[in-house]
Amino acid sequence: MLKPKTDTSSSALRDRQIQFLRVWRRRRQQPRIWLASLGLLWSLWDLRAEWLLMAEQFTWAALRYAMLYHLLTWLVLIVCLTSLLGILVDRCWPQRRDRRLQHQLDRILAVGARHPLWQRLHSLGSEGSSAS
């Protein structure tokens, strides 16, 4: 299969823009990862007595007690685990992530100057042309 000819400068610009979006997205995810990790640690620490009780002898009543009387802790635990697992799954499939970044770049460029990231992405093109 023949690939269509592309302008190397526009291809390089698109690569820089996608790299910018990748870094921007990673920086946006870092506080979520820290909060999820702290929430996970807090909830595990709060449930330590119940874990010890269930480790000695597991009963459904002990699990039900832990869930009913520590509802906020269980909710935090579930939210933190699902968010961490979502981030890990996103990192496991880089092709899918890159395809989403390309779609996001296309949407940003289609919206134009009204999008908050458009100016930064547009400035990447002017930096590349002045460096040449």
Side-chain angles (χ1 to χ4, degrees):
M1 183 187 302
L2 295 173
K3 284 187 170 183
K5 282 189 170 182
T6 58
D7 186 15
T8 56
S9 63
S10 66
S11 175
L13 171 63
R14 189 161 179 87
D15 289 343
R16 281 196 311 268
Q17 289 172 335
I18 289 177
Q19 179 62 26
F20 170 79
L21 287 176
R22 188 178 294 125
V23 170
W24 178 77
R25 188 172 186 198
R26 191 177 303 139
R27 285 184 183 165
R28 256 188 39 209
Q29 282 181 345
Q30 283 176 347
R32 292 181 200 164
I33 293 172
W34 278 105
L35 287 175
S37 300
L38 290 175
L40 185 65
L41 290 174
W42 173 80
S43 59
L44 290 175
W45 181 258
D46 193 40
L47 290 170
R48 68 188 180 281
E50 281 72 21
W51 293 121
L52 291 173
L53 178 67
M54 285 188 275
E56 283 182 25
Q57 184 175 359
F58 177 78
T59 61
W60 290 106
L63 182 64
R64 183 172 178 249
Y65 169 80
M67 290 178 80
L68 287 175
Y69 292 102
H70 297 280
L71 186 61
L72 179 64
T73 304
W74 280 95
L75 289 175
V76 168
L77 183 68
I78 290 169
V79 167
C80 292
L81 281 176
T82 55
S83 64
L84 285 175
L85 285 174
I87 291 170
L88 287 175
V89 165
D90 183 51
R91 299 250 172 122
C92 287
W93 288 302
Q95 301 89 358
R96 191 171 147 206
R97 182 185 61 223
D98 288 345
R99 192 171 49 239
R100 275 189 305 203
L101 286 173
Q102 289 173 358
H103 289 302
Q104 183 181 9
L105 178 62
D106 292 339
R107 284 192 309 255
I108 291 170
L109 295 176
V111 168
R114 294 181 315 208
H115 197 281
L117 290 177
W118 184 84
Q119 185 62 38
R120 287 185 178 177
L121 292 172
H122 192 66
S123 69
L124 290 174
S126 63
E127 290 171 6
S129 64
S130 63
S132 302

